[in-house]
């Protein structure tokens, strides 16, 4: 982590973030100052992350989805996000290249982190995504997507797999990139 006494990012982390994100050195410095104000310990707990994430979806239940997002970015599995993990998360969910975003989406759906996605994992994440949809938007969903189970079933069909098969990362990325409906089903974009 950065030098917490002087409030600056370490050179190693700064160079790594400049290389792997679109952010400039100045932007990273500003993000770090803000991060240190919000998180004086230099880490965000899962509960803090859920609270922050929930603010983006005030009319929905974002807790379950936030837990999965947190897990996918807690790359060292220590139960917290440090500054580097936080910036990578910010980059991936806002402006990352499509392939990189899909790599992240794969890690989100790979609940048990075994390198494959099963239909039950798709159902689990689709259920979490479904909770993000405000109740007043549910009636406008197509009939084959108006429940979490239907969304998961529809998404799974794009991979051309049986119920007990599994999908590798490359298959996931290819399947989603080749189909706009699949891309739409792996996320929720508010109407408002």
């Amino acid at each position: 982590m950065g030098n917490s006494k002087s409030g600056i990012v370490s050179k190693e982390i700064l160079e790594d973030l400049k290389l792997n994100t679109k952010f400039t050195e100045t932007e990273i410095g500003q993000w770090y100052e803000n991060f240190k104000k919000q998180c004086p310990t230099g880490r965000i707990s899962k509960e803090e992350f859920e609270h922050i994430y929930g603010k983006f979806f005030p009319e929905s239940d974002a807790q379950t989805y936030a837990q999965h997002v947190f897990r996918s970015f807690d790359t060292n599995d220590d139960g917290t996000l440090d500054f580097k993990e936080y910036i990578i998360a910010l980059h991936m969910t806002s402006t990352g290249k499509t392939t990189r975003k899909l790599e992240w989406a794969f890690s989100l759906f790979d609940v048990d982190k075994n390198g494959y996605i099963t239909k039950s994992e798709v159902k689990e994440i689709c259920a979490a995504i479904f909770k993000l949809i405000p109740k007043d938007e549910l009636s406008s969903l197509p009939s084959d997507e108006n429940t979490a189970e239907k969304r998961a079933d529809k998404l799974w069909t794009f991979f051309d797999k049986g119920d007990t098969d599994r999908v590798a990362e490359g298959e996931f990325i290819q399947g989603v990139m080749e189909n706009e409906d699949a891309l739409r089903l792996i996320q929720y974009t508010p109407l408002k």
Side-chain angles (χ1 to χ4, degrees), residues 10-190:
S10 74
K11 266 196 179 331
E12 180 184 327
I13 289 175
L14 181 61
E15 290 306 313
D16 189 35
L17 289 173
K18 281 172 37 184
L19 190 66
N20 290 300
T21 71
K22 66 159 185 71
F23 302 125
T24 66
E25 189 168 331
T26 303
E27 288 172 321
I28 294 168
Q30 289 169 342
W31 279 110
Y32 186 69
E33 284 179 35
N34 192 35
F35 182 83
K36 288 300 281 184
K37 283 180 193 161
Q38 299 293 320
C39 307
T41 64
R43 301 195 164 280
I44 297 176
S45 70
K46 184 164 60 167
E47 294 75 20
E48 290 168 319
F49 184 81
E50 288 171 17
H51 178 73
I52 292 166
Y53 206 87
K55 290 179 180 180
F56 292 101
F57 299 96
E59 298 175 30
S60 308
D61 176 4
Q63 183 181 7
T64 306
Y65 189 71
Q67 289 171 352
H68 288 293
V69 171
F70 183 90
R71 172 192 42 79
S72 72
F73 287 120
D74 181 16
T75 54
N76 62 0
D77 288 327
D78 69 353
T80 65
L81 296 184
D82 62 22
F83 179 69
K84 182 178 173 185
E85 291 167 324
Y86 174 73
I87 291 297
I88 296 291
L90 186 66
H91 172 70
M92 293 300 288
T93 57
S94 62
T95 59
K97 292 183 178 139
T98 300
T99 303
R100 292 286 309 267
K101 279 186 172 186
L102 292 178
E103 288 169 355
W104 166 72
F106 179 85
S107 74
L108 180 71
F109 278 83
D110 185 14
V111 175
D112 64 6
K113 298 184 176 188
N114 71 348
Y116 296 94
I117 294 173
T118 63
K119 188 170 184 182
S120 68
E121 288 173 315
V122 168
K123 285 183 177 184
E124 183 174 338
I125 300 302
C126 282
I129 292 170
F130 204 76
K131 288 180 180 180
L132 295 176
I133 303 171
K135 298 205 182 321
D136 63 339
E137 290 182 27
L138 293 176
S139 61
S140 63
L141 293 174
S143 61
D144 62 345
E145 297 176 19
N146 62 5
T147 69
E149 180 106 7
K150 288 179 183 179
R151 281 178 84 96
D153 288 342
K154 186 173 182 175
L155 179 57
W156 192 250
T157 63
F158 293 121
F159 303 118
D160 197 28
K161 296 283 186 178
D163 285 354
T164 58
D165 292 336
R166 49 191 203 168
V167 175
E169 184 177 29
E171 294 174 288
F172 177 83
I173 291 169
Q174 182 179 354
V176 173
M177 287 186 87
E178 290 176 355
N179 192 298
E180 280 187 34
D181 279 338
L183 183 60
R184 183 178 48 74
L185 289 170
I186 66 168
Q187 59 192 334
Y188 166 65
T189 307

